[in-house]
Amino acid sequence: MAKSEFDLIKTILLIVKGPTVFWFLYMLIPLYFISPVLCEILRKQSACIYFFVAWFIGTIVVNSILSIWPSLNDVVQLNNIGLFSSYMGYYLFGAYYGKYGMNSRTKYIIYCLGILSILMMLFCEPVGFFHNFVTPFNMFWSISVFLFFDGIKLSSHRINKLLQSFSKKTLGIYAIHVYCIRLITKIWAPSVSYCILQVFFYFVFAVVASYVATMILKKIKFLKRIV
């Protein structure tokens, strides 16, 4: 078959796989399967602490070492821990925080480490290492951002209502935003690549357009439970 000819199987696989950012959707499947086990761990705070320590050492530390010295993977074969186990700690942390909370001193330490991590990600090399999702730097700054927004208390009923509306449509926004970005790049593609104004405009357009599209899709009976 010539390369220019239509490949049905390849096309179907590309549609199912979707853009590369959709890896997160496939990540949810094994995490949902392991949820009953994690719920048992969540029953005891001490068990959660042991789990987080084991996860940090076995995933964050190991992946950081292998990011610096990838040749070690040929010796210890630890790079096959996989995305599933790598993100399991983040998954459990949200439930842990919702049930047990966190004292002010611990939050302060995480905020400091988060700010330091952001500075290192911005100004240090190698960029690939500091931007890796399973390194201490990304872990601390992502948890810091989570704690920061969780600590914001809004008195405005309208804003709270808008945020609640957004929270119910996050899956649809996540699934549609890539196509909204592709649409705006075809309509408006300035000569200056990835300038701050362009990134901000793309972000606003993608969020608003995805939100509106998700609202419309939720009006369709057989789609409203999906998005």
Side-chain angles (χ1 to χ4, degrees):
M1 179 181 292
K3 292 184 178 180
S4 60
E5 293 183 12
F6 178 73
D7 191 330
L8 178 61
I9 297 178
K10 185 177 181 179
T11 302
I12 294 175
L13 290 175
L14 287 173
I15 295 174
V16 173
K17 184 179 180 181
T20 55
V21 296
F22 285 178
W23 66 266
F24 182 72
L25 297 178
Y26 300 99
M27 181 62 54
L28 291 175
I29 298 174
L31 288 176
Y32 284 152
F33 274 112
I34 201 67
S35 291
V37 177
L38 297 180
C39 286
E40 291 299 318
I41 297 175
L42 194 63
R43 291 180 182 275
K44 293 184 178 181
Q45 188 174 10
S46 59
C48 293
I49 300 300
Y50 288 133
F51 173 87
F52 288 133
V53 171
W55 172 76
F56 181 82
I57 296 174
T59 299
I60 302 297
V61 174
V62 168
N63 277 282
S64 298
I65 293 174
L66 293 178
S67 296
I68 300 174
W69 296 290
S71 59
L72 290 178
N73 184 56
D74 297 331
V75 179
V76 296
Q77 291 295 316
L78 289 176
N79 201 31
N80 295 322
I81 294 175
L83 288 172
F84 165 57
S85 60
S86 300
Y87 289 88
M88 195 159 48
Y90 294 107
Y91 183 65
L92 183 63
F93 174 79
Y96 172 86
Y97 180 75
K99 183 174 182 178
Y100 298 107
M102 186 177 294
N103 60 54
S104 300
R105 183 180 178 183
T106 304
K107 285 185 179 180
Y108 177 78
I109 294 174
I110 292 179
Y111 280 138
C112 292
L113 292 172
I115 294 173
L116 178 62
S117 298
I118 292 175
L119 293 175
M120 294 185 72
M121 291 170 66
L122 289 174
F123 300 108
C124 296
E125 295 287 347
V127 175
F129 170 69
F130 289 102
H131 288 192
N132 193 315
F133 289 142
V134 284
T135 58
F137 310 99
N138 217 303
M139 183 195 73
F140 285 124
W141 85 258
S142 59
I143 294 178
S144 298
V145 171
F146 173 81
L147 294 176
F148 173 77
F149 281 103
D150 180 74
I152 296 177
K153 306 299 180 183
L154 299 174
S155 57
S156 174
H157 176 70
R158 290 185 177 180
I159 296 178
N160 282 322
K161 190 174 181 180
L162 178 63
L163 292 177
Q164 290 174 5
S165 177
F166 262 95
S167 67
K168 294 177 181 178
K169 300 176 179 64
T170 51
L171 179 60
I173 294 173
Y174 175 76
I176 297 172
H177 82 281
V178 176
Y179 304 102
C180 293
I181 293 175
R182 290 179 179 178
L183 175 63
I184 191 60
T185 52
K186 292 182 178 180
I187 298 174
W188 182 60
S191 57
V192 181
S193 179
Y194 296 109
C195 64
I196 296 177
L197 178 62
Q198 179 186 357
V199 173
F200 177 75
F201 182 77
Y202 280 13
F203 170 76
V204 173
F205 177 84
V207 172
V208 174
S210 302
Y211 176 75
V212 173
T214 303
M215 288 182 62
I216 296 173
L217 292 174
K218 279 187 172 291
K219 300 295 182 182
I220 303 176
K221 187 175 181 180
F222 65 94
L223 288 178
K224 63 181 181 180
R225 293 186 178 275
I226 300 177
V227 297

